[in-house]
Amino acid sequence: MTPARDGSGADSLQVWDLPLRLWHWALAVLVLIAWVTPSTHDRLHRLAGYAVIGLLAFRLIWGFAGTRYSRFGRIGVRLRTAPRYILNLRRGITGRYIGLNPAGTAMMVALLLSLSVSAISGALSVTVTFFGAWWVEDTHAYASDAVIALVVLHVLGVVAMAMLQRQNLVRAMLTGRKQRRHR
């Protein structure tokens, strides 16, 4: 966590490491590919799904072996405080979190779980045992719809938090650096 000066002159901290940032943006691209390719480019859709499974496996490992803000150590605490945190957001109270805030933690867990269900059920749907099984196909369809809905909420949440805290969170996920304090 080394201090530096970002382009705006505000002190910043290194928060998200390069492997996590690459994972995040690769996952975003693969989910977009998987979303636009079902039934039209099945091979590309399947490849994107298998790659998502690989990225999810990496994230599970990195959640225990990665750097401070990549680890899952504070998930339980942040999930327990998420409902109160979200209610406080309605009053404009954001608190200050260097890594993920409680709402971001809840979103991360929801996305990781729904992505896991979507990718695994998608992989199962092309196996000999489960090919054509209605419940596997329905599970894949519902989980995939949930992923897209959560992605939209995630993007809206990032925009809202960036405005409330006057901080460029997209740049933070590109550079890994986050402002020390609100402007």
Side-chain angles (χ1 to χ4, degrees):
M1 210 164 49
T2 51
R5 308 291 277 178
D6 66 15
S8 67
D11 288 341
S12 65
L13 296 171
Q14 183 69 35
V15 177
W16 292 295
D17 58 34
L18 182 61
L20 183 70
R21 295 187 329 256
L22 291 174
W23 172 86
H24 177 271
W25 294 111
L27 188 64
V29 168
L30 289 168
V31 167
L32 180 61
I33 290 170
W35 182 50
V36 299
T37 58
S39 304
T40 56
H41 298 89
D42 284 339
R43 182 184 168 120
L44 183 57
H45 183 78
R46 281 194 308 272
L47 288 173
Y50 294 140
V52 166
I53 291 172
L55 287 176
L56 289 170
F58 167 80
R59 185 64 183 100
L60 183 62
I61 293 165
W62 206 243
F64 295 101
T67 56
R68 178 180 180 180
Y69 296 104
S70 298
R71 291 193 299 260
F72 296 144
R74 305 229 359 118
I75 281 184
V77 171
R78 298 259 167 100
L79 287 177
R80 281 191 299 280
T81 61
R84 184 172 24 124
Y85 180 83
I86 292 167
L87 288 174
N88 284 337
L89 284 177
R90 293 177 48 197
R91 295 188 304 234
I93 301 169
T94 64
R96 183 68 177 132
Y97 296 87
I98 299 299
L100 290 176
N101 63 43
T105 301
M107 180 56 72
M108 177 192 67
V109 170
L111 274 167
L112 290 176
L113 289 174
S114 60
L115 277 165
S116 296
V117 172
S118 175
I120 291 168
S121 61
L124 286 175
S125 71
V126 296
T127 64
V128 172
T129 305
F130 295 106
F131 183 80
W134 68 267
W135 64 272
V136 174
E137 291 177 1
D138 283 358
T139 299
H140 181 63
Y142 291 135
S144 299
D145 289 346
V147 167
I148 297 307
L150 289 169
V151 165
V152 170
L153 284 175
H154 170 58
V155 170
L156 291 173
V158 168
V159 169
M161 289 307 296
M163 289 174 18
L164 283 170
Q165 294 184 331
R166 294 182 191 96
Q167 204 170 154
N168 189 334
L169 296 175
V170 174
R171 182 176 62 205
M173 188 47 81
L174 288 168
T175 65
R177 302 195 77 78
K178 199 170 177 190
Q179 293 172 358
R180 281 185 183 266
R181 58 191 160 273
H182 302 300
R183 287 190 233 170

